[in-house]
């Protein structure tokens, strides 16, 4: 039997990403479609609530696109964190195939979510422009970049949560509860311009609110956020990412990991 | 070659730091056939994973020259909702084998029962075991690690497993951890016994098995005494 050299890191990550995309929603009839149906149903739900409450977007745009620019970064944030949290327990036996390790599994999961994020966003924007006749993004490159920022932020936070989750099952289970307030703090229903200064000062510290504001600046012509700061979510994600490694090392060194191989 | 240098390892169980190996230094040379007699519940599987490079020691160092298999017959990485062919394709890419050759090997090894388009969850337990065994032995490793499972399935499949393992280990090493003296005798020519968190070389496996039984009886006796003292 022909033996080829051990595959490169790049090649292994590519394989793990394809495997992750095939197995993430395996078992159900709709498979990977769930990754795209979930945000669509969220947007539809929030738009219906918007209309029922008679709420008018604070910017002169259709409610559908206003909600979409709020929900999409939040969903990217949430799904990436959830995916990173589940990948180590779900794929732990892949670590038998050396040199696959935890970092490769997490990286593959994050890249898979990045692909999902772009496909999902493109689907939503295409649907809104073709079906509802809503104008496309003012700065397409800027919008794509902000989605990348949302993913980077989520990858950092998700990496940290995955590290802590290796020690505590309760923490891993509590992550969805911890993320719930972010739904209200992400600016899905409002913009910074309509908030009082004191509330703006507090919400400045919400990295997902910053991302939403950045996205709306890039999408809507003429919208300028009084609080948006590109460096804050990047720094937040970067610090979380960097913190994950010493925490994980301490957990493994002290035998606190709950994983069984 | 696998060399353990001052290796200390605890059972990977949260907050219960049960010692498995205490400052062990041992060298398994290239191409050597080594048997380790280890009683049940002494951390045999953890040590097998340590030798395979899947787990790291708590202290000390494990050096490897050449490739090492995962414990033969392990099936955990086969995704139940994915077809056999897709599972093999991913595995081939990760271990550096052409997918066609891995699938071809599995087909040849398993025979007509090999069903590439069936999902792993739909395989019969014996089919799944055979597939896992074929996966673990398809690649020519420099050292094969065995955690009790030397062969799987019915008599015919067991003979196939024995034959392929014997063929592979003609030019490669094997480290086999087992509680069975006959199994160790038939696959190894140098022996150790896992006794008191230490790997001790031994020449007489039967004597080692007796020593292991006495040690465990003694331990059980001591814990009985301790329990009796606590209840008094």
């Amino acid at each position: 039997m022909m033996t080829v050299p051990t595959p490169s890191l790049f090649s292994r990550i590519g394989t793990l990403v394809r495997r992750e995309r095939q197995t993430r929603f395996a078992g159900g009839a709709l498979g990977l479609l769930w990754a795209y149906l979930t945000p669509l149903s969220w947007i539809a739900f929030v738009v219906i609530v918007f209309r029922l409450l008679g709420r008018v977007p604070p910017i002169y745009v259709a409610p559908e696109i206003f909600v979409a620019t709020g929900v999409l970064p939040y969903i990217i944030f949430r799904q990436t964190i959830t995916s990173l949290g589940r990948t180590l327990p779900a794929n732990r036996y892949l670590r038998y195939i050396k040199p696959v390790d935890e970092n490769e599994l997490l990286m593959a999961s994050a890249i898979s979510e990045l692909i999902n994020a772009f496909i999902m966003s493109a689907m939503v924007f295409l649907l809104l422009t073709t079906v509802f006749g809503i104008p496309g993004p003012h700065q397409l490159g800027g919008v794509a970049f902000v989605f990348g920022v949302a993913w980077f932020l989520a990858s950092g936070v998700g990496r940290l949560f995955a590290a802590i989750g290796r020690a505590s099952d309760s923490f891993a289970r509590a992550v969805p509860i911890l993320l719930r307030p972010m739904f209200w703090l992400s600016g899905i229903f409002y913009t910074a311009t309509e908030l009082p200064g004191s509330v703006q000062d507090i919400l400045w510290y919400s990295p997902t609110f910053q991302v939403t504001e950045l996205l709306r600046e890039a999408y809507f012509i003429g919208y300028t956020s009084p609080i948006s700061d590109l460096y804050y979510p990047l720094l937040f994600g970067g610090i979380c990412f960097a913190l994950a490694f010493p925490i994980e090392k301490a957990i493994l060194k002290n035998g606190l990991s709950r994983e069984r191989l | 070659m696998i060399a353990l240098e001052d290796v200390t390892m605890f059972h990977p169980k949260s907050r219960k730091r049960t010692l498995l190996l205490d400052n062990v230094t041992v060298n398994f040379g290239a191409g050597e056939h080594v048997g380790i007699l280890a009683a049940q519940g002494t951390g045999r599987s953890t040590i097998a994973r340590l030798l395979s490079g899947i787990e790291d020691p708590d202290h000390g160092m494990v050096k490897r020259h050449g490739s090492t298999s995962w414990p033969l017959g392990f099936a955990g990485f086969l995704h139940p909702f994915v077809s056999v062919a897709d599972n093999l394709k991913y595995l081939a890419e990760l271990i550096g084998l052409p997918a066609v050759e891995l699938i071809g090997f599995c087909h040849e090894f398993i025979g007509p029962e090999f069903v590439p388009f069936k999902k792993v969850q739909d395989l019969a337990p014996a089919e799944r075991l055979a597939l896992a065994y074929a996966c673990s032995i398809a690649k020519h490793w420099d050292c094969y690690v065995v955690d009790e499972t030397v062969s799987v399935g019915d008599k015919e499949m067991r003979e196939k497993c024995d034959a392929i393992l014997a063929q592979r280990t003609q030019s490669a090493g094997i480290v086999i951890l087992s509680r069975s003296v006959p199994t160790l005798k038939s696959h190894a020519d140098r022996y150790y016994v896992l006794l008191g968190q230490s790997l001790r070389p031994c020449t007489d496996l039967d004597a080692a098995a007796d020593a292991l039984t006495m040690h465990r009886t003694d331990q059980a006796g001591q814990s009985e005494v301790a329990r009796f003292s606590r209840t008094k």
Side-chain angles (χ1 to χ4, degrees):
Chain A
M1 179 168 287
M2 195 176 101
T3 302
V4 295
T6 304
S8 64
L9 173 68
F10 187 76
S11 162
R12 291 198 303 273
I13 296 284
T15 302
L16 292 172
V17 168
R18 282 188 285 111
R19 186 184 184 277
E20 172 76 6
R21 291 180 63 71
Q22 186 176 359
T23 59
R24 176 83 170 88
F25 296 96
L30 297 175
L32 193 62
L33 271 180
W34 279 114
Y36 314 121
L37 288 175
T38 308
L40 284 175
S41 57
W42 274 56
I43 292 168
F45 174 74
V46 178
V47 167
I48 289 167
V49 171
F50 234 70
R51 290 196 181 280
L52 286 177
L53 295 177
R55 176 112 167 82
V56 179
I59 317 170
Y60 187 65
V61 294
E64 289 80 6
I65 191 64
F66 181 77
V67 169
T69 52
V71 167
L72 283 173
Y74 171 74
I75 286 183
I76 293 169
F77 180 76
R78 194 186 164 99
Q79 288 201 167
T80 304
I81 291 174
T82 309
S83 175
L84 289 179
R86 64 162 278 286
T87 198
L88 287 185
N91 297 314
R92 64 190 183 279
Y93 293 132
L94 284 177
R95 285 161 56 194
Y96 273 70
I97 307 167
K98 298 311 285 181
V100 174
D101 65 12
E102 303 91 321
N103 289 317
E104 292 182 16
L105 292 172
L106 287 163
M107 203 183 294
S109 181
I111 291 171
S112 175
E113 286 306 320
L114 180 67
I115 296 168
N116 282 348
F118 279 111
I119 295 174
M120 170 176 80
S121 307
M123 278 173 65
V124 169
F125 291 150
L126 261 175
L127 191 76
L128 292 180
T129 48
T130 52
V131 177
F132 294 92
I134 294 166
H138 164 53
Q139 297 171 339
L140 186 60
V143 167
F145 178 73
V146 176
F147 282 133
V149 173
W151 171 79
F152 179 82
L153 167 70
S155 298
V157 177
R159 185 68 185 81
L160 177 64
F161 283 6
I164 301 170
R166 294 184 78 172
S168 168
D169 181 53
S170 305
F171 179 84
R173 288 175 192 278
V175 166
I177 300 167
L178 293 173
L179 293 178
R180 199 143 296 160
M182 300 309 290
F183 182 75
W184 306 102
L185 301 175
S186 297
I188 293 170
F189 308 98
Y190 51 86
T191 60
T193 45
E194 60 178 330
L195 298 172
S198 55
V199 180
Q200 277 184 21
D201 290 344
I202 295 167
L203 282 182
W204 187 91
Y205 292 99
S206 165
T208 49
F209 187 43
Q210 293 274 7
V211 171
T212 306
E213 289 291 289
L214 287 165
L215 181 62
R216 284 176 176 155
E217 278 186 330
Y219 200 100
F220 302 124
I221 189 163
Y223 179 69
T224 308
S225 169
I227 65 150
S228 67
D229 183 348
L230 172 64
Y231 296 108
Y232 180 68
L234 288 176
L235 196 66
F236 194 100
I239 289 172
C240 287
F241 192 81
L243 275 175
F245 293 94
I247 289 173
E248 192 167 62
K249 198 174 172 185
I251 288 168
L252 295 177
K253 194 179 172 189
N254 293 299
L256 298 175
S257 172
R258 66 190 170 93
E259 287 164 13
R260 305 286 172 270
L261 280 175
Chain B
M1 188 273 279
I2 305 174
L4 276 63
E5 291 180 2
D6 300 323
V7 164
T8 295
M9 190 159 191
F10 294 94
H11 197 281
K13 209 171 206 178
S14 294
R15 294 164 195 93
K16 282 185 183 173
R17 305 287 277 160
T18 312
L19 191 61
L20 298 180
L21 292 177
D22 186 11
N23 212 28
V24 169
T25 297
V26 68
N27 189 12
F28 305 135
E32 274 196 309
H33 294 189
V34 179
I36 299 175
L37 182 67
Q40 201 167 11
T42 51
R44 199 178 51 226
S45 298
T46 309
I47 295 169
R49 289 195 296 270
L50 174 81
L51 295 172
S52 295
I54 298 157
E55 299 223 29
D56 293 322
D58 291 281
H59 300 288
M61 193 182 284
V62 180
K63 287 183 180 169
R64 281 179 207 85
H65 289 295
S67 58
T68 310
S69 77
W70 58 85
L72 292 192
F74 179 76
F77 50 76
L78 297 171
H79 199 288
F81 296 144
V82 174
S83 72
V84 169
D86 282 348
N87 267 299
L88 292 179
K89 190 179 71 183
Y90 293 129
L91 177 66
E93 290 176 18
L94 291 172
I95 62 174
L97 279 180
V100 177
E101 295 206 18
L102 178 61
I103 293 171
F105 175 83
C106 290
H107 195 177
E108 192 184 326
F109 183 76
I110 296 168
E113 289 84 26
F114 180 70
V115 273
F117 299 109
K118 216 171 181 180
K119 283 183 182 173
V120 168
Q121 68 171 358
D122 298 329
L123 296 179
E127 289 174 335
R128 196 176 159 165
L129 284 173
L131 177 67
Y133 195 90
C135 287
S136 57
I137 208 152
K139 183 172 172 171
H140 286 266
W141 305 95
D142 294 312
C143 183
Y144 292 83
V145 174
V146 176
D147 174 15
E148 203 70 70
T149 307
V150 179
S151 55
V152 295
D154 57 16
K155 188 171 178 284
E156 191 189 346
M157 179 53 73
R158 283 183 178 276
E159 284 169 1
K160 272 188 188 177
C161 294
D162 287 339
I164 189 83
L165 185 60
Q167 186 198 333
R168 290 284 197 260
T169 52
Q170 272 177 2
S171 56
I174 182 170
V175 180
I176 171 165
L177 294 107
S178 177
R179 60 175 184 270
S180 157
V181 171
T183 303
L184 292 174
K185 278 184 177 171
S186 62
H187 289 89
D189 46 33
R190 192 157 78 89
Y191 309 107
Y192 287 83
V193 57
L194 178 62
L195 196 63
Q197 294 85 44
S198 181
L199 283 178
R200 302 177 191 196
C202 74
T203 47
D204 187 344
L205 263 186
D206 294 309
D210 290 342
L212 207 61
T213 312
M214 278 173 63
H215 180 75
R216 288 179 68 77
T217 313
D218 191 35
Q219 273 191 326
Q222 281 177 8
S223 58
E224 272 301 305
V225 169
R227 202 172 62 176
F228 180 71
S229 308
R230 278 199 300 273
T231 51
K232 258 196 116 176

